[in-house]
Amino acid sequence: MEVKLWNDKREREMYENFAELYAIIKATEKLEKAYIRDLISPSEYETECQKLIVHFKTLSATLKDLVPNIERFAETYKMDCSAAVYRLVTSGVPATVEHRAAAMASTSSSASVVAECVQNFITSMDSLKLNMVAVDQVYPLLSDLSASLQKLSILPPDFEGKMKMKEWLSRLSKMGASDELTEQQARQLHFDLESSYNM
C-alpha cells in the first residue's frame, strides 16, 4: 500500500524544501559538534559552515512564509539542534569568524588603552619638566593617568604604578589648588612616574 505525502506538485515541493531545511540544520549541528570536539580543522570547518549558512539563508528566504520561525520548525520536528540554530539564525557566521572578530576587538581596545596610558605618562612627566607643579595642574594629569591604568586589564590590581598614582592623588587632594609641589616632591613624583612607566 502506497502512502502519498502530497496531493499536488506545490505540496510536494514544500515537503522537499522542508526535508532540505531539516538536512541543513542537522548537518550544521553535526559540524558544530565536530568542531567543538576538534575532529575537524578550523579551515575545513569554516569552509563547510560557510556553505551551510549560504544554503540555509537561500532556503529560509524561499520558505519565509511557510516557516517564519526556524526555532519553532526545529521544535515541531523534535530536532534538538540548539548549536545549529544559534549558528544559522543568531550568529550567521562560522565560529572561527566570530571568535576572530572578538579577539581583534579586544586586542584593538586593549591597544588603545595602552596608547592612552603611554600618552598620560608622557604628558605627566613633561608637565613636571616644564615646572608645572601647582596642584590644580598636576592633579588632573595624574587623575587621567590613574583612570587609564585602571582600564588596562592586563595589569594586576597590585601593580606598583597604580598604587603610586593612588598615593599621589591622595596626597594632592589634601593640598590646596594653588599649593605647589616642592622641588623634592616634584623630583620624587617624576621618579615614580618614570619607574612605573618603565616597568
Side-chain angles (χ1 to χ4, degrees):
M1 183 178 149
E2 192 178 297
V3 178
K4 270 194 154 185
L5 294 174
W6 53 81
N7 297 318
D8 56 30
K9 190 178 175 194
R10 199 176 60 86
E11 216 173 83
R12 176 183 174 173
E13 193 176 316
M14 181 191 77
Y15 282 115
E16 282 176 356
N17 285 336
F18 280 9
E20 194 64 39
L21 182 61
Y22 185 94
I24 289 169
I25 294 170
K26 278 293 192 184
T28 306
E29 185 73 16
K30 294 280 184 198
L31 184 65
E32 288 295 304
K33 287 188 174 165
Y35 176 64
I36 289 166
R37 293 179 183 140
D38 212 14
L39 301 173
I40 185 171
S41 75
S43 59
E44 283 179 296
Y45 161 80
E46 194 169 320
T47 306
E48 294 306 314
C49 192
Q50 206 72 268
K51 277 189 218 169
L52 286 166
I53 290 168
V54 169
H55 293 318
F56 170 78
K57 284 182 178 173
T58 307
L59 188 58
S60 60
T62 308
L63 293 172
K64 69 177 182 290
D65 294 331
L66 295 168
V67 186
N69 188 315
I70 300 298
E71 288 93 335
R72 196 165 297 139
F73 177 85
E75 210 175 277
T76 302
Y77 293 101
K78 299 180 176 25
M79 296 179 74
D80 191 27
C81 293
S82 56
V85 170
Y86 171 78
R87 185 66 47 222
L88 297 168
V89 179
T90 310
S91 170
V93 294
T96 47
V97 174
E98 197 173 50
H99 299 148
R100 205 166 31 241
M104 283 170 68
S106 69
T107 302
S108 65
S109 69
S110 64
S112 67
V113 175
V114 168
E116 187 184 317
C117 286
V118 168
Q119 179 186 340
N120 287 330
F121 266 116
I122 291 169
T123 304
S124 299
M125 289 187 285
D126 286 351
S127 68
L128 290 172
K129 285 179 187 170
L130 295 170
N131 206 31
M132 292 172 65
V133 290
V135 170
D136 62 352
Q137 293 171 318
V138 177
Y139 190 90
L141 300 173
L142 294 187
S143 182
D144 289 347
L145 173 57
S146 184
S148 60
L149 286 171
Q150 293 303 326
K151 281 193 267 178
L152 197 57
S153 56
I154 57 172
L155 293 176
D158 60 346
F159 174 67
E160 199 175 330
K162 285 184 185 180
M163 310 309 270
K164 283 183 178 174
M165 290 314 108
K166 275 186 187 170
E167 286 169 22
W168 276 105
L169 286 170
S170 173
R171 194 178 306 173
L172 293 172
S173 66
K174 292 174 186 149
M175 297 166 72
S178 61
D179 290 349
E180 292 191 350
L181 297 175
T182 63
E183 189 183 332
Q184 186 184 351
Q185 287 174 322
R187 281 183 70 176
Q188 185 61 50
L189 176 55
H190 190 275
F191 175 80
D192 288 347
L193 285 165
E194 201 159 20
S195 60
S196 298
Y197 177 71
N198 291 323
M199 280 181 176

